């Protein structure tokens, strides 16, 4: 068993079969190298069998030195201590002559599954990983919460699709999710997919949403580059409302409601003192007012925007292992159409059709209180019956101890 550089084919074959993050994929390697980033494919082989694989990037730091990063890797069986030690001992030797100051490793390994109140519902019983890293000179970087523009988020909200069908997944959602999906499907909402030539539609939704909610969004090149390299594995659904279909559907609802009102009205004429029917008329009349408001809005929007009104868009990366919802934005003026719910349901169904076992709603802060910066987002993801994956976090190892000591000392002074 030995540490070695891997060919692209060896790396690709291994990460396709073994569960891995999209950053540990062939497409990301080509993106990095074409961008001029020093990137290596390394791993462990036992005779000719690949037992571990990892994409590693090297970035300049302090002009002379470099910082190495595994980016949700390596991909290996962390319970296999022989493979683990062979990989990380070999990686240190591999990086030393390349003027690497320190290495950051962030394994795509779950330590706990939690509910969206933060309670542990299942422990992975893999604390031995901490001990194995410590034995090789790594320090854990702490159990981080929140979002950071550099360090990967430590919490994901995920939906397990393994051995489930469409009906079971839908029935497991809460009432609000089911109701909004049905409403979107009924009232003229449709999905189309954006490409590089119209990705600016998605970017506008994202910019508007990030400005309104004051959260950090990646720049245009991040999304464009990944669409260019991942091609069809990046899916950018945009939901729009066909306002002619919408108005026809609302008018149909109004006609049905009016029939019910007339029916109860006739019953009241026969029995004016029937309190139950009095309340029915009151409730149905209130519903009629709401429907008239929707119809007025729909007709006005049709005159202003034409037949198709874009509502929301989102960005997904698909691998053999998971469908990842990376980000999404919605026009705040039209949130009541529930377009984002239809996007999620459409992509969940896509994952089921492709036999992909995990639907990843992606990052949350790890703050499960009502004061969380992303409290609304957490509740949105929770409603789909997702659970929370708590990842193990980052490990850091100095490769050039003296230089790393100076570097951390300077950072402390700056802070």
């Amino acid at each position: 068993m030995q540490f070695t550089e891997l060919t692209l084919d060896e790396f690709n074959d291994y990460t396709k079969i073994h569960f891995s993050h999209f950053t540990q994929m062939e497409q990301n390697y080509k993106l990095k190298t074409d961008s001029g980033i020093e990137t290596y494919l390394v791993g462990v082989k036992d005779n000719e069998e690949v037992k571990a694989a990892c994409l590693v990037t090297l970035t300049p730091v302090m002009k002379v030195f470099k910082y190495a990063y595994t980016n949700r890797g390596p991909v290996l069986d962390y319970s296999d201590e022989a493979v683990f030690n062979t990989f990380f001992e070999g990686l240190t030797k591999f990086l030393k002559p390349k003027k690497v100051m320190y290495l950051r490793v962030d394994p795509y390994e779950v330590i706990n599954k939690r509910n969206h109140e933060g309670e542990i519902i299942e422990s992975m019983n893999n604390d031995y990983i901490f001990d194995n890293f410590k034995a090789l000179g790594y320090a854990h970087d702490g159990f981080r919460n929140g979002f950071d523009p550099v360090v990967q988020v430590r919490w994901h909200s995920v939906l397990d699709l393994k051995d489930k069908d469409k009906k079971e997944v839908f029935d497991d959602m809460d009432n609000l999710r089911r109701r909004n999906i049905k409403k979107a499907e009924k009232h003229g909402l449709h999905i189309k997919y954006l490409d590089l030539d119209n990705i600016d539609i998605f970017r506008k939704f994202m910019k508007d949403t990030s400005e309104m909610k004051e959260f950090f969004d990646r720049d245009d090149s991040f999304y464009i580059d990944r669409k260019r390299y991942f091609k069809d594995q990046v899916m950018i659904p945009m939901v729009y409302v066909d306002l002619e279909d919408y108005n026809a559907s609302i008018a149909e609802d109004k006609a049905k409601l009016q029939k019910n009102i007339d029916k109860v009205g006739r019953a009241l004429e026969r029995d004016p003192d029937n309190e139950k029917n009095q309340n029915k008329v009151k409730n149905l009349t209130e519903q009629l007012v709401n429907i008239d408001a929707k119809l007025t809005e729909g007709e006005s929007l049709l005159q202003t925007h034409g037949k198709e009104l874009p509502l929301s868009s989102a960005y997904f990366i698909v691998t053999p292992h998971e469908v990842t919802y990376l980000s999404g934005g919605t026009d705040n003026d039209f949130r009541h159409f529930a377009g984002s719910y239809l996007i999620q349901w459409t992509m969940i169904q896509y994952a089921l059709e492709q036999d992909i076992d995990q639907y990843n709603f992606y990052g949350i802060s790890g703050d499960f209180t009502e004061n969380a910066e992303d409290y609304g987002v957490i509740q949105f993801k929770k409603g789909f019956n997702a659970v929370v994956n708590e990842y193990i976090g980052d490990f850091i190892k100095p490769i050039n101890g003296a230089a790393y000591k100076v570097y951390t000392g300077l950072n402390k002074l700056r802070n």
Side-chain angles (χ1 to χ4, degrees):
M1 190 180 297
Q2 63 179 1
F3 178 92
T4 182
E5 287 194 70
L6 301 176
T7 67
L8 184 54
D9 284 343
E10 288 173 331
F11 173 82
N12 191 35
D13 290 345
Y14 188 84
T15 56
K16 272 186 175 178
I17 296 172
H18 297 83
F19 188 85
S20 49
H21 192 262
F22 65 82
T23 52
Q24 292 291 323
M25 289 281 160
E26 172 190 12
Q27 295 85 349
N28 196 43
Y29 172 75
K30 291 178 178 177
L31 189 161
K32 297 292 184 185
T33 54
D34 288 354
S35 301
I37 297 171
E38 189 175 354
T39 309
Y40 299 94
L41 300 177
V42 295
V44 171
K45 292 173 74 174
D46 189 2
N47 294 320
E48 290 304 309
E49 182 185 1
V50 177
K51 306 289 284 188
C54 188
L55 181 158
V56 180
T57 55
L58 272 56
T59 306
V61 61
M62 289 180 66
K63 296 182 180 179
V64 177
F65 297 101
K66 298 170 187 174
Y67 145 66
Y69 179 43
T70 64
N71 205 343
R72 297 297 196 192
V75 182
L76 55 79
D77 180 356
Y78 283 80
S79 68
D80 190 329
E81 194 170 345
V83 172
F84 181 95
N85 288 338
T86 300
F87 178 83
F88 284 105
E89 288 171 356
L91 183 59
T92 298
K93 293 175 184 176
F94 178 78
L95 295 175
K96 271 187 178 179
K98 301 184 187 307
K99 297 184 178 179
V100 171
M101 180 194 295
Y102 72 101
L103 165 66
R104 179 182 287 271
V105 179
D106 61 341
Y108 201 36
E109 289 293 306
V110 178
I111 53 173
N112 293 305
K113 289 188 178 292
R114 298 176 182 260
N115 59 27
H116 282 76
E117 286 70 47
E119 301 163 333
I120 294 176
I121 54 178
E122 182 183 0
S123 172
M124 299 297 103
N125 297 315
N126 52 6
D127 288 350
Y128 59 84
I129 299 177
F130 294 94
D131 297 330
N132 292 345
F133 270 114
K134 185 177 180 181
L136 295 180
Y138 286 80
H140 189 248
D141 196 33
F143 296 102
R144 293 171 177 258
N145 291 347
F147 302 98
D148 188 286
V150 177
V151 180
Q152 294 272 13
V153 67
R154 205 172 65 85
W155 307 83
H156 286 177
S157 183
V158 301
L159 179 61
D160 180 15
L161 301 178
K162 187 174 176 60
D163 299 326
K164 294 181 180 178
D165 60 25
K166 175 180 170 179
K167 183 180 185 304
E168 183 179 359
V169 173
F170 186 80
D171 289 346
D172 283 342
M173 298 178 195
D174 68 11
N175 288 332
L176 178 60
R177 257 35 58 172
R178 294 199 302 270
R179 185 167 66 249
N180 280 337
I181 289 168
K182 288 178 180 177
K183 179 175 79 171
E185 290 179 328
K186 177 184 177 184
H187 288 322
L189 270 64
H190 306 279
I191 298 283
K192 62 173 62 173
Y193 293 89
L194 306 178
D195 212 326
L196 285 172
D197 59 354
N198 53 8
I199 196 173
D200 57 301
I201 298 173
F202 161 74
R203 294 303 296 133
K204 185 179 186 307
F205 279 120
M206 284 301 301
K207 287 173 182 175
D208 291 348
T209 301
S210 63
E211 287 171 5
M212 182 187 68
K213 294 190 174 181
E214 298 182 337
F215 68 83
F216 168 80
D217 184 28
R218 304 166 178 90
D219 60 21
D220 289 351
S221 63
F222 177 91
Y223 297 103
I224 292 170
D225 288 347
R226 278 147 191 80
K227 178 59 178 172
R228 183 175 290 123
Y229 281 85
F230 281 84
K231 302 185 187 313
D232 291 344
Q233 286 180 258
V234 163
M235 301 177 71
I236 313 174
M238 182 199 74
V239 61
Y240 66 95
V241 56
D242 182 316
L243 288 164
E244 291 179 356
D245 289 351
Y246 175 79
N247 291 340
S249 176
I250 298 300
E252 186 179 328
D253 287 347
K254 180 179 178 179
K256 289 178 181 177
L257 187 61
Q258 188 63 61
K259 282 185 178 180
N260 287 335
I261 291 173
D262 293 344
K263 180 180 178 181
V264 178
R266 288 193 296 272
L268 270 178
E269 288 176 1
R270 295 191 297 271
D271 184 5
D273 296 325
N274 188 304
E275 189 175 339
K276 184 178 179 181
N277 283 333
Q278 289 174 355
N279 289 331
K280 270 188 182 180
V281 167
K282 181 181 177 182
N283 291 333
L284 291 172
T285 303
E286 289 174 354
Q287 290 179 42
L288 185 62
V289 171
N290 290 333
I291 283 182
D292 278 334
K294 288 180 181 179
L295 199 54
T296 299
E297 179 197 32
E299 290 168 349
S300 174
L301 290 173
L302 179 61
Q303 294 299 316
T304 305
H305 297 277
K307 181 178 169 65
E308 294 184 4
L309 174 62
L311 304 173
S312 180
S313 185
Y315 194 99
F316 294 81
I317 297 182
V318 179
T319 73
H321 314 295
E322 59 181 349
V323 171
T324 298
Y325 166 49
L326 208 58
S327 55
T330 297
D331 189 321
N332 195 52
D333 291 336
F334 307 122
R335 298 185 74 84
H336 55 286
F337 283 98
S340 60
Y341 293 86
L342 184 61
I343 286 178
Q344 297 298 335
W345 179 227
T346 300
M347 293 303 296
I348 288 169
Q349 291 178 89
Y350 174 82
L352 288 167
E353 290 162 4
Q354 299 299 315
D355 292 324
I356 298 172
D357 289 342
Q358 181 163 292
Y359 186 86
N360 193 338
F361 287 98
Y362 223 54
I364 59 174
S365 65
D367 178 357
F368 299 99
T369 70
E370 292 185 5
N371 298 321
E373 59 181 304
D374 59 338
Y375 180 75
V377 172
I378 289 173
Q379 297 308 303
F380 175 79
K381 296 175 180 180
K382 172 187 175 182
F384 287 91
N385 194 40
V387 299
V388 176
N389 279 357
E390 178 188 2
Y391 294 95
I392 197 165
D394 293 21
F395 296 85
I396 296 174
K397 180 173 182 176
I399 305 297
N400 184 320
Y404 183 69
K405 187 174 181 180
V406 171
Y407 173 73
T408 54
L410 288 173
N411 282 341
K412 287 179 181 178
L413 289 174
R414 290 191 190 104
N415 296 329

